[in-house]
Amino acid sequence: MNHILYNISIKQKRSKQKEGKQMLIECPANTRLQDYLLQNDIHILTACGGRGNCAKCVVRIVKGHATVNTMDQIWFSEEQLLAGYRLGCHVYAKEPLTVEIPN
């Protein structure tokens, strides 16, 4: 499976670094992942406009913790949630995260 890794580190200063298919991004605390990615010209599919109704913005948290919300529980099985799958439009970075975004 092809994928791109985004490392989201929470700091007040933002920076980007491209290395092949990997991009490192420092993201301020309490920022919605979708909004921050868009601010940095990184696009994930959100056909529903970020409401969590389409599940086109699937991401996987590979390091760090992202809270499971009601829409995540609707779209993902317990096994998928334990594996870190979340709706990218509903992820809030409250700590450093490493996020896998499938191509």
Side-chain angles (χ1 to χ4, degrees):
M1 166 175 43
N2 292 331
H3 63 273
I4 301 172
L5 284 181
Y6 296 94
N7 294 320
I8 309 297
S9 301
I10 298 176
K11 292 191 178 175
Q12 292 302 323
K13 184 179 175 186
R14 295 182 294 186
S15 68
K16 294 193 296 185
Q17 177 183 3
K18 290 186 180 184
E19 296 177 10
K21 286 191 172 184
Q22 190 172 35
M23 182 177 292
L24 302 177
I25 300 173
E26 293 182 354
C27 180
N30 299 314
T31 300
R32 190 166 76 147
L33 176 63
Q34 176 191 6
D35 293 342
Y36 193 75
L37 293 176
L38 288 173
Q39 288 171 6
N40 288 280
D41 202 28
I42 302 164
H43 302 276
I44 57 175
L45 186 59
T46 54
C48 67
R51 292 183 300 275
N53 296 330
C54 69
K56 302 289 184 188
C57 60
V58 174
V59 300
R60 188 170 74 89
I61 309 303
V62 295
K63 185 176 180 186
H65 175 74
T67 305
V68 175
N69 63 45
T70 303
M71 295 309 285
D72 292 326
Q73 292 173 336
I74 290 170
W75 286 103
F76 301 112
S77 68
E78 186 66 30
E79 294 82 20
Q80 289 172 316
L81 292 171
L82 290 172
Y85 288 94
R86 302 288 186 275
L87 295 177
C89 67
H90 283 221
V91 171
Y92 286 85
K94 292 185 178 182
E95 65 179 63
L97 299 177
T98 302
V99 180
E100 180 182 75
I101 300 175
N103 262 348

